[in-house]
Amino acid sequence: QVQLVESGGGSVQAGGSLRLSCAASGSTDRSYSMGWFRQTPGKEREGVAATYATGDKAFYANSVRGRFAISQDNAKNTLYLEMTRLNPDDTAIYYCAASERGALLSPLHKGGYNYWGQGTQVTVSS
């Protein structure tokens, strides 16, 4: 099993940037596909960005492509989400997730993930 802890959320004005981190612990001796998801009240949790266990391919939701970047530092067992040009529609709780599958058919779909962090709030004001 792996435990995930997100950090880096906060409040920012539109146009600003934030970097989220997700620290993994536990069974980190194996590779996981990783993803970032977000959720607002009354809505389904949606995939924002994801990467295969190999780290050689990234996937983005259309709404964030070109503004967000997913990356990972395997030496630190940490996943990142660099978010730029934020707008109020990006306001949500952001979750980090891990999948034991090396390559997911639908990397941005929450159903493929086994482990979840507790989430970190991102608020973007206009």
Side-chain angles (χ1 to χ4, degrees), residues 4 22-25 28-29 73-79:
L4 305 171
C22 172
S25 61
T28 58
D29 55 336
D73 185 333
N74 292 329
K76 296 182 178 180
N77 294 320
T78 302
L79 181 74

Side-chain angles (χ1 to χ4, degrees), residues 61-118:
N62 289 336
S63 58
V64 306
R65 186 175 291 111
R67 300 189 297 122
F68 290 12
I70 188 172
S71 62
Q72 53 190 5
D73 185 333
N74 292 329
K76 296 182 178 180
N77 294 320
T78 302
L79 181 74
Y80 301 100
L81 184 68
E82 192 76 40
M83 305 186 295
T84 63
R85 289 183 282 144
L86 287 161
N87 62 66
D89 289 338
D90 296 317
T91 295
I93 299 175
Y94 283 71
Y95 298 89
C96 170
S99 171
E100 294 178 339
R101 302 176 195 172
L104 295 165
L105 286 177
S106 300
L108 296 179
H109 191 276
K110 62 183 180 180
Y113 291 84
N114 310 98
Y115 307 103
W116 294 86
Q118 83 290 347

